[in-house]
Amino acid sequence: MSSLPWRADVKVAEHPARYVMRKLPQLVLLFWILKIIAVTLGETAGDLFGITLKLGYIDTALIFLAYFVVVLTLQIRAKRFHPALFWAVVLGTSMVGTEISDFLDRGPGHGSAPNGVGYGWGAVILTSLLAIIFVVWWRTGETYDVENIASRKGEILYWIAILVSNTLGTASGDWLSDNTGLGFRNAFFVIAGIMLAILAAHYLTNINSMLLFWLAFILTRPLGAAGGDSLIKPRDEGGLGWGTFWGSMALFVVLVALVIYQTIQVRRHPLEPLPYPINRRTGQPQEPNGAVVTSPRHSSELTDAGEASAPGRPRWQLSPEADPD
């Protein structure tokens, strides 16, 4: 996008017809299923590269980091929501987070090393880092509502928080399954029980929905790790014995199938654009993270930056300032 559609001193109310194409998915059941599969694949892929192939945490982390930087750059530059790209980035945060957590907790090498800080301290350090990120996020004036992020700065903060959350999820899952003696199978049931309690709190209490979202988001990582261990561990250790390669391949196939399904759904039912972003603290317009669109008053069908949708809705058209994706 070449420039902001308004100067910083122009009031948002003077431009009520400008909107921004969504870049992030809505929090429906499919989101959580894809999230769990993606982070589980990140766990098994990390074990495949770091342990089975004996590349070590540093080399594996560098490979995953290069992948993550590429897909994240493409995601940030995109003008709208692309399911394959979005979930490629989530997968990258899981893979990089696994390696960062393992290096922090265990030290370098392809097995447990004695010079890491340990699972408990690793979880403490990462929890503190995530808390700092949320404080910074709040002070920037960007919205915490992850379904309604429409600014470039808000999306960058979102991905930073997701990377640290997945890293924290790895460390906390390792601590729960190893340090407490529960093992990965019992840890899976404990985490699943906590997530059910969060789900009940969402529907039955007034607890802030974004607090519950991030708690659930963090917990999907150790839930996925425990599920991944159930697939790849030998049968005598309580797993199915698929190994890191076949376990990773099975998860990859399921992930691709569901991403294709989501892509078809998004094409059939385009996501509604968001209001042009404004800063919560200053009330000033922010740099949008997606294509800017406008909505004429009189129209009988919706075009999601050129794609037809259900009749009876306004027509969304690309603003002249927006470059097509």
Side-chain angles (χ1 to χ4, degrees), residues 70-269:
V70 170
V71 294
L72 178 61
T73 300
L74 293 174
Q75 166 68 23
I76 295 296
R77 291 173 60 86
K79 297 297 187 293
R80 57 195 301 176
F81 174 56
H82 296 283
L85 185 55
F86 176 86
W87 291 109
V89 182
V90 173
L91 176 61
T93 64
S94 178
M95 294 190 300
V96 172
T98 296
E99 301 310 310
I100 293 174
S101 175
D102 287 345
F103 181 79
L104 178 66
D105 298 340
R106 306 174 186 175
H110 62 265
S112 297
N115 52 346
V117 300
Y119 298 135
W121 277 111
V124 170
I125 292 170
L126 291 166
T127 300
S128 302
L129 179 58
L130 187 60
I132 292 171
I133 291 170
F134 284 136
V135 170
V136 172
W137 191 336
W138 175 260
R139 291 184 63 84
T140 63
E142 302 295 331
T143 179
Y144 268 142
D145 188 346
V146 296
E147 287 190 305
N148 293 305
I149 292 175
S151 71
R152 178 66 55 85
K153 184 184 294 184
E155 186 180 358
I156 291 173
L157 288 166
Y158 172 85
W159 286 117
I160 293 173
I162 282 183
L163 175 60
V164 177
S165 296
N166 280 333
T167 307
L168 171 59
T170 302
S172 58
D174 288 339
W175 173 82
L176 186 63
S177 60
D178 291 356
N179 286 24
T180 64
L182 286 174
F184 61 82
R185 185 183 297 274
N186 290 331
F188 176 87
F189 290 119
V190 169
I191 297 168
I194 296 173
M195 291 194 66
L196 288 175
I198 292 175
L199 179 64
H202 173 70
Y203 287 105
L204 301 177
T205 72
N206 293 324
I207 298 176
N208 183 275
S209 60
M210 285 300 100
L211 173 61
L212 295 176
F213 166 80
W214 286 108
L215 288 175
F217 198 94
I218 292 169
L219 288 173
T220 56
R221 184 63 188 84
L223 184 73
D229 285 340
S230 298
L231 293 178
I232 67 177
K233 293 295 185 182
R235 293 180 182 277
D236 57 2
E237 295 182 20
L240 296 178
W242 289 10
T244 56
F245 177 78
W246 290 111
S248 297
M249 286 300 298
L251 290 166
F252 178 75
V253 169
V254 175
L255 181 64
V256 169
L258 288 175
V259 167
I260 292 174
Y261 171 76
Q262 187 177 48
T263 301
I264 294 173
Q265 291 297 106
V266 170
R267 289 185 180 277
R268 290 178 176 174
H269 308 285

Side-chain angles (χ1 to χ4, degrees), residues 20-88:
V20 179
M21 299 302 299
R22 288 182 183 268
K23 293 280 297 294
L24 307 174
Q26 295 175 316
L27 304 181
V28 296
L29 178 60
L30 182 61
F31 172 90
W32 293 107
I33 294 173
L34 280 163
K35 168 61 165 61
I36 293 172
I37 294 173
V39 297
T40 305
L41 177 57
E43 173 75 14
T44 59
D47 288 344
L48 173 63
F49 280 81
I51 299 176
T52 303
L53 300 180
K54 301 186 185 302
L55 293 180
Y57 295 129
I58 295 178
D59 291 342
T60 302
L62 290 175
I63 294 172
F64 289 167
L65 181 62
Y67 161 82
F68 173 63
V69 170
V70 170
V71 294
L72 178 61
T73 300
L74 293 174
Q75 166 68 23
I76 295 296
R77 291 173 60 86
K79 297 297 187 293
R80 57 195 301 176
F81 174 56
H82 296 283
L85 185 55
F86 176 86
W87 291 109

